[in-house]
Amino acid sequence: MKSYKIAFLGFGNVGRSLAELLIRKRQEIIDDYDVSFSVSGICTKNHGCILINDDLDIDDVMNKIKVDPDIDLNTLTGLPFITDPVEFIHQCNADVLFENTPVNYDTGEPAVGFIKTALNSGIHVVTANKGPVVHAYHELSQIANLNGVKFYFESTVMDGAPIFSLFREALPVINVRRIKGVLNSTTNLILSRIEMGDSFDEAIKYAQSIGIAETDPSGDIDGWDASVKIAELATVLMGIRVKPQDVIRKGIRDLKVDQIRNARESGKRWKLVCSATREYNQVSVSVSPELVDAGSPLFLIDGTTSIVVFESDVLGKLSIIEEDPGPHTTAYGCLADFINIIRN
Amino acid sequence: MKSYKIAFLGFGNVGRSLAELLIRKRQEIIDDYDVSFSVSGICTKNHGCILINDDLDIDDVMNKIKVDPDIDLNTLTGLPFITDPVEFIHQCNADVLFENTPVNYDTGEPAVGFIKTALNSGIHVVTANKGPVVHAYHELSQIANLNGVKFYFESTVMDGAPIFSLFREALPVINVRRIKGVLNSTTNLILSRIEMGDSFDEAIKYAQSIGIAETDPSGDIDGWDASVKIAELATVLMGIRVKPQDVIRKGIRDLKVDQIRNARESGKRWKLVCSATREYNQVSVSVSPELVDAGSPLFLIDGTTSIVVFESDVLGKLSIIEEDPGPHTTAYGCLADFINIIRN
C-alpha cells in the first residue's frame, strides 16, 4: 500500500469539510485504491499553522476544532511555527497540497504564486479556488507537466459536480462548440425571490441571511462571479485564453422587478445566463440576463442549483445539474481530484 | 506510436456509425493519445464477414457500403470467409472487439457467449448491447479481470452520454443511494403525443413512423426496455444483482388518455419513471408511471431526451440529461470506451 502526505493551505469551511471527508472515506480509499494518506501540515491565515514531520493526528485536530472553531493551531503542537505560506509549502514535505485560500477575482494572486511554488517543488496541487485557474490555467498546467505533477481544480465551477474530470476522462476527442449555464447561485436566488414577491433589496437581504450572498453582493449582481466561471470553462474546455475582464458582461442590476414578475406570469423566467460559443476560430464569451422558455432545462434552475449544458461535435446537448451544493460537495470535488491524482 | 487492431461483430446502424466516427477521429486519436488503429475484421449476420490478416481498408469498405448498403462484405475480398461468430472471434486477431449484435432482453445470449469468448481470448470488449450487461455483468467483469482486459459498455443506457465512465473515473468512493430516470424514448414520446391530442394508437404509429418504436412496441409500452436499463444501472452502480424480471414493473398501457391530458392541464405530467433505491441493505428497483411536478427536472424530458438523477453520500442530486440521441451518439460512447481502454 502506497501512502501519500497531504497538506492544507487555507483551512476554512472547504478545508475543514475536506478533512472530515478524508477521515470518513479513509478506509474506502484504502479498499478501493490501496492508498493511504497522512497529514503533514495545515497553514491558515488567522488561526496559525501546524507543520510537523511526523504524521499529524488529523482526527485529533478536527475534534479540537469542533470544540473550539477559533482555536489557534499553533497551540496544538509545541513546535516552532511558520506564518509565511511560501515557507510552509517549501517545508511541508507533502505529495499533495490542497490550496483553498480566498479567491481573488482580479489577478488570482497570491494563490497563483503559492501553486507555482508547490508545482515547482514537485507537489501535486488540488484547489477549489477559481482565481488561479481563470488567470493562470495554461501557465500552471505547463509548470505541472514540466514537473511531472498534476494541477486539478474540479470544485471551482460547480461545487464538486464532475465537469473537468468528465472531459479529461469520460469524453475523449470531443470538441465543445457551445457552453451555456446558470452558474451563480446568488443572482438565481434573488431572481426567484423577486418572482415570489420580494423587492430587490429584500431578496438580497434574504440571500445574505442564509449565507449565500456576501455583505457587498455586487460581485454576484454585476455578473463577475458568473464571468469568472464561464471564462474558466471556456479557457479549460475550449482551449482559449479569456480573462473575466474579457467577458461581455451584464448583471441583473438593470432588470426591473415588474419585468421579472411579468415574465414569470407569462410562463417565462429571467435567468443570468453564461455562454461561450465557438464560431469559426473565435469563441465569444458572455454573461447576460436572458428570458428563458419553459421548455429549457435552464427554466427549472432554482436557488442554489446550477446547470451547465454542453454542445459538441459528437453528442446531442449534454446537461449536468447539481442541486444542494455546499462546502461538503466542494470538498468532495477536492477529494475526487486527490484520488484521481494518486491512482494514476 | 502504439497501434491496435479492432474488429466489429455486428455492423448495423451503430457499427457503421462507429466506423465512420473512427475514420473521422483517427487523427485526433493519434494527436491526443499517440495511438493508431487498424481494422482486422467485420462480421455481420446477413451481409457476410470480412476477416483479413493485413489491415482492412475501412475507408474503402465504408465508401462501398455508402454506395450499396446491402452489399455482401464477402464480395469485397477474395478470401475464404467465416460465418460463425465464435470462429470469427477466435481468428480475428483483434485487440479490441466491438460487439454490437441485436439485444436479447431475456437472456443476453448469444452476445454473452461471444463476449466470454473474446475476453477469454485476451480481447478487450466494447458493447452497446444491454443484454449481456444486465444478464452477466458480474461474470463478464470477472472474466475480463482474470484475462487482464476490459469490458466496457458506456452506450448501453443513455446512447453515449457518460454514465459508467463517470462513476469509474470522475466520481470515486461515492455511494449511490438512489437512481431515478426517464430512460425509454418510445413511451416518453407516446405520452407527449397523447398530451398534444393523439390517441394511444396514433401516438404509437407516430413513434413507429419516425423509427423510434418497433413494429411490436410492447417491449417499450410494458416497461421492459426501461426495466433492463434500471436493472443495469442498479447492477453496475449499486453493486447488486438484479435481472429485468426482478424489477417491479408497470408500463403505460393502463394509463387513460384523459388522465394524461388532465394531468398536463393541471400542470403535471405522467412519465414512465425508473427507480432504484437503497434502503438498509436492500435495493428496490421499479419502473412505473409517475405523476411528476413542474418543479422536477423529469417534467421537462420530452421525446427522445433522457435523464438520470443520482443521489449519493457525497453530492447533492446530480442529473445528467442527454438530448438528440441517435446511432452517432451511441457510436461515440463506444469510441470513448475504446479510447479509455487503450490509454490505460
Side-chain angles (χ1 to χ4, degrees):
Chain A
M1 186 163 64
K2 206 165 169 194
S3 182
Y4 287 84
K5 280 190 191 293
I6 62 180
F8 295 87
L9 178 56
F11 207 60
N13 284 339
V14 171
R16 292 174 188 201
S17 290
L18 175 57
E20 280 169 10
L21 187 61
L22 279 160
I23 293 168
R24 177 154 76 85
K25 290 287 185 180
R26 192 197 302 264
Q27 191 58 46
E28 274 181 72
I29 298 171
I30 293 173
D31 293 345
D32 291 1
Y33 301 101
D34 201 29
V35 161
S36 69
F37 62 86
S38 61
V39 178
S40 69
I42 301 171
C43 182
T44 75
K45 193 171 178 188
N46 300 320
H47 297 98
C49 276
I50 299 183
L51 181 67
I52 46 175
N53 291 317
D54 292 310
D55 294 350
L56 181 67
D57 185 343
I58 186 72
D59 304 55
D60 181 55
V61 171
M62 292 309 293
N63 284 333
K64 282 175 176 151
I65 286 176
K66 254 182 214 152
V67 175
D68 175 11
D70 291 325
I71 196 167
D72 188 322
L73 297 180
N74 295 125
T75 62
L76 298 182
T77 63
L79 295 166
F81 62 93
I82 285 168
T83 51
D84 176 35
V86 172
E87 200 187 336
F88 173 82
I89 296 166
H90 280 304
Q91 296 199 22
C92 71
N93 196 28
D95 301 300
V96 181
L97 179 73
F98 292 106
E99 193 284 327
N100 286 312
T101 64
V103 62
N104 170 340
Y105 289 138
D106 290 335
T107 65
E109 295 291 0
V112 174
F114 298 157
I115 293 172
K116 271 188 207 170
T117 303
L119 297 173
N120 276 319
S121 307
I123 302 171
H124 302 286
V125 174
V126 172
T127 187
N129 186 343
K130 289 180 274 291
V133 185
V134 78
H135 285 284
Y137 166 71
H138 293 286
E139 188 189 3
L140 293 172
S141 297
Q142 201 180 9
I143 296 173
N145 280 341
L146 286 173
N147 289 281
V149 290
K150 299 288 183 194
F151 169 51
Y152 281 0
F153 43 82
E154 187 60 273
S155 295
T156 51
V157 169
M158 244 168 87
D159 323 282
I163 302 293
F164 299 110
S165 56
L166 191 70
F167 283 86
R168 205 168 55 225
E169 294 161 345
L171 297 171
V173 297
I174 194 170
N175 295 308
V176 177
R177 290 180 174 158
R178 184 189 292 241
I179 304 173
K180 217 162 170 177
V182 175
L183 295 168
N184 178 263
S185 302
T186 303
T187 48
N188 204 41
L189 185 62
I190 288 171
L191 292 172
S192 300
R193 295 290 298 188
I194 292 173
E195 286 172 349
M196 294 189 293
D198 273 10
S199 70
F200 209 96
D201 284 345
E202 284 166 350
I204 291 174
K205 283 209 182 88
Y206 175 78
Q208 287 166 331
S209 74
I210 62 163
I212 302 286
E214 315 225 3
T215 315
D216 173 7
S218 56
D220 292 317
I221 288 170
D222 293 329
W224 279 113
D225 175 72
S227 294
V228 169
K229 286 172 174 165
I230 191 68
E232 192 189 325
L233 287 172
T235 298
V236 178
L237 301 179
M238 298 172 99
I240 60 164
R241 286 168 193 266
V242 56
K243 295 280 161 72
Q245 295 87 337
D246 304 330
V247 175
I248 301 161
R249 177 183 50 78
K250 196 174 167 197
I252 63 166
R253 207 180 279 276
D254 295 337
L255 282 180
K256 302 279 175 280
V257 166
D258 283 351
Q259 205 178 357
I260 295 166
R261 287 187 201 140
N262 291 344
R264 188 69 172 115
E265 274 157 30
S266 70
K268 299 190 176 190
R269 298 181 85 178
W270 283 99
K271 293 286 171 194
L272 186 62
V273 176
C274 307
S275 302
T277 308
R278 185 182 296 279
E279 279 165 304
Y280 305 100
N281 279 326
Q282 289 212 309
V283 178
S284 58
V285 186
S286 66
V287 168
S288 175
E290 278 185 26
L291 206 49
V292 171
D293 282 333
S296 163
L298 274 58
F299 185 88
L300 288 186
I301 304 307
D302 259 321
T304 58
T305 298
S306 301
I307 185 170
V308 62
V309 186
F310 297 101
E311 291 178 44
S312 68
D313 65 331
V314 287
L315 286 176
K317 280 186 192 168
L318 180 71
S319 303
I320 315 282
I321 302 175
E322 191 201 19
E323 298 176 51
D324 309 318
H328 64 291
T329 63
T330 304
Y332 174 70
C334 296
L335 175 70
D337 280 344
F338 170 64
I339 292 173
N340 280 312
I341 287 171
I342 55 166
R343 72 167 156 186
N344 286 328
Chain B
M1 185 162 66
K2 205 165 172 194
S3 182
Y4 287 83
K5 281 191 192 291
I6 61 180
F8 296 86
L9 178 57
F11 206 60
N13 285 339
V14 171
R16 292 173 188 203
S17 291
L18 175 58
E20 280 169 9
L21 187 62
L22 279 160
I23 293 168
R24 177 155 75 84
K25 290 287 185 180
R26 192 197 299 264
Q27 192 58 47
E28 274 181 73
I29 297 171
I30 293 173
D31 294 345
D32 291 1
Y33 301 102
D34 200 30
V35 161
S36 69
F37 62 86
S38 61
V39 177
S40 68
I42 301 172
C43 183
T44 74
K45 194 171 178 188
N46 300 320
H47 297 95
C49 273
I50 300 184
L51 181 67
I52 48 177
N53 290 318
D54 293 308
D55 294 350
L56 180 67
D57 186 341
I58 185 73
D59 304 57
D60 180 55
V61 172
M62 292 309 295
N63 284 333
K64 282 174 178 153
I65 286 177
K66 254 181 213 155
V67 176
D68 175 11
D70 291 324
I71 196 167
D72 187 322
L73 297 181
N74 295 125
T75 62
L76 299 181
T77 63
L79 295 167
F81 62 91
I82 285 169
T83 51
D84 176 35
V86 171
E87 200 186 337
F88 173 83
I89 295 165
H90 280 305
Q91 295 199 23
C92 71
N93 195 28
D95 301 301
V96 181
L97 178 74
F98 292 107
E99 192 285 326
N100 287 312
T101 63
V103 62
N104 170 340
Y105 288 140
D106 290 335
T107 65
E109 294 292 357
V112 173
F114 298 156
I115 294 173
K116 269 188 209 169
T117 303
L119 296 173
N120 276 320
S121 307
I123 301 171
H124 302 286
V125 174
V126 172
T127 188
N129 185 343
K130 288 181 274 290
V133 185
V134 78
H135 285 285
Y137 166 71
H138 293 288
E139 188 189 2
L140 293 173
S141 297
Q142 201 180 10
I143 296 173
N145 279 341
L146 287 172
N147 288 281
V149 291
K150 299 287 183 193
F151 169 52
Y152 281 0
F153 43 82
E154 187 60 272
S155 294
T156 50
V157 170
M158 245 169 87
D159 322 284
I163 302 292
F164 298 110
S165 56
L166 192 72
F167 283 87
R168 205 169 55 224
E169 294 163 345
L171 297 172
V173 295
I174 195 170
N175 295 309
V176 176
R177 290 179 176 160
R178 182 188 295 238
I179 304 173
K180 215 161 172 176
V182 175
L183 296 168
N184 179 265
S185 301
T186 303
T187 48
N188 203 41
L189 185 63
I190 289 170
L191 292 172
S192 301
R193 296 289 300 188
I194 292 174
E195 286 173 348
M196 295 188 293
D198 273 10
S199 70
F200 210 95
D201 284 345
E202 285 165 349
I204 290 174
K205 283 207 182 90
Y206 176 78
Q208 287 166 332
S209 74
I210 62 164
I212 302 287
E214 317 224 5
T215 316
D216 172 9
S218 57
D220 292 317
I221 288 170
D222 293 329
W224 280 113
D225 175 73
S227 294
V228 169
K229 286 173 174 167
I230 191 68
E232 192 189 326
L233 287 172
T235 297
V236 178
L237 301 179
M238 298 171 101
I240 59 164
R241 286 167 193 267
V242 56
K243 294 279 160 72
Q245 295 87 336
D246 304 329
V247 175
I248 302 161
R249 179 182 50 79
K250 195 174 169 197
I252 63 166
R253 206 180 280 275
D254 295 337
L255 281 180
K256 302 275 173 284
V257 167
D258 284 350
Q259 204 179 359
I260 294 166
R261 288 187 201 139
N262 291 343
R264 187 72 173 113
E265 274 157 30
S266 70
K268 299 190 177 190
R269 298 182 86 178
W270 283 99
K271 293 285 169 194
L272 187 63
V273 176
C274 308
S275 304
T277 306
R278 184 182 296 281
E279 280 166 303
Y280 305 100
N281 278 328
Q282 289 212 310
V283 177
S284 58
V285 185
S286 66
V287 168
S288 176
E290 279 186 25
L291 206 50
V292 172
D293 283 332
S296 161
L298 274 57
F299 184 87
L300 288 186
I301 302 308
D302 259 320
T304 59
T305 298
S306 302
I307 186 170
V308 60
V309 185
F310 298 101
E311 292 178 45
S312 68
D313 64 332
V314 287
L315 286 176
K317 280 184 192 169
L318 180 71
S319 303
I320 316 282
I321 302 174
E322 191 201 20
E323 298 176 50
D324 309 317
H328 64 291
T329 63
T330 304
Y332 174 70
C334 296
L335 175 70
D337 280 343
F338 170 62
I339 292 174
N340 280 314
I341 286 170
I342 57 166
R343 72 167 156 187
N344 285 328

